Amino acid sequence: MSTKIIKERLDVWKEEPMYWDLIANMDTRLYQSSIPKSLIEIIKIRASQINKCAFCVDYHTTEALQHGETPRRIFALSAWQESPLFTDVERSVLQAVEEITHISVHGVADETYEKLKTHFNIKEVADIIVCISHINFLNRIGISTKTMAL
């Protein structure tokens, strides 16, 4: 495996390492939650696709593959509504990803929130919302700093 070279116009984490420490702690906490690692990566990939953060799509696709996700499902992720490859549980999460990532359009529908609650306990729903918000934050840093992996 070749080493990726990261280029950016600004390394936010170098300028203020405490930001990275906080972000890394959030990620650590998310991976310690009861949300499956493969689902966390699916969340991160889908939000990154929507936001067009190429660095995060690349990074989290690699992570998802390492956590046992299949290439076929990753390829189908951008068309998850039409794909038979995703479970009802995953669909409820992916709908939340869509709505939270596009939050300024219509917010998060009550139906979407209630559907999450049919599959997850309230603590897990909180973890999912934080995970979606967390990757949206990272996407915005990556895009605004033009972070790329070459």
Side-chain angles (χ1 to χ4, degrees):
M1 185 169 150
S2 64
T3 303
K4 294 178 184 175
I5 299 168
I6 299 175
K7 290 183 66 171
E8 65 242 321
R9 65 176 163 196
L10 169 65
D11 185 343
V12 171
W13 318 122
K14 179 180 167 195
E15 296 306 315
E16 182 47 76
M18 184 181 278
Y19 290 145
W20 182 252
D21 293 342
L22 293 167
I23 290 300
N25 285 337
M26 278 187 86
D27 235 22
T28 298
R29 168 57 189 91
L30 285 168
Y31 286 110
Q32 291 171 345
S33 75
S34 59
I35 307 303
K37 289 176 179 51
S38 59
L39 185 56
I40 290 171
E41 296 307 330
I42 288 294
I43 289 168
K44 291 179 176 187
I45 295 167
R46 183 63 192 130
S48 299
Q49 287 174 335
I50 294 166
N51 289 321
K52 300 178 182 167
C53 183
F55 179 85
C56 290
V57 169
D58 178 60
Y59 183 88
H60 293 292
T61 297
T62 301
E63 291 288 304
L65 291 168
Q66 290 173 354
H67 289 296
E69 190 52 73
T70 66
R72 185 175 181 217
R73 282 172 35 97
I74 292 171
F75 298 149
L77 192 53
S78 64
W80 67 267
Q81 287 110 331
E82 292 79 24
S83 174
L85 301 177
F86 299 96
T87 67
D88 286 343
V89 172
E90 292 166 330
R91 289 175 182 286
S92 71
V93 171
L94 288 166
Q95 185 62 41
V97 170
E98 301 282 329
E99 292 180 20
I100 292 171
T101 302
H102 293 295
I103 200 134
S104 66
V105 177
H106 298 291
V108 178
D110 290 340
E111 180 181 339
T112 300
Y113 179 76
E114 293 302 322
K115 187 79 166 179
L116 281 175
K117 285 181 17 183
T118 67
H119 299 292
F120 299 96
N121 66 42
I122 200 69
K123 187 173 186 333
E124 291 169 330
V125 171
D127 287 334
I128 289 166
I129 291 170
V130 168
C131 183
I132 296 166
S133 300
H134 177 68
I135 191 60
N136 273 281
F137 172 80
L138 287 170
N139 289 163
R140 281 152 178 75
I141 296 291
I143 293 165
S144 60
T145 61
K146 295 193 175 196
T147 302
M148 297 180 249
L150 306 174

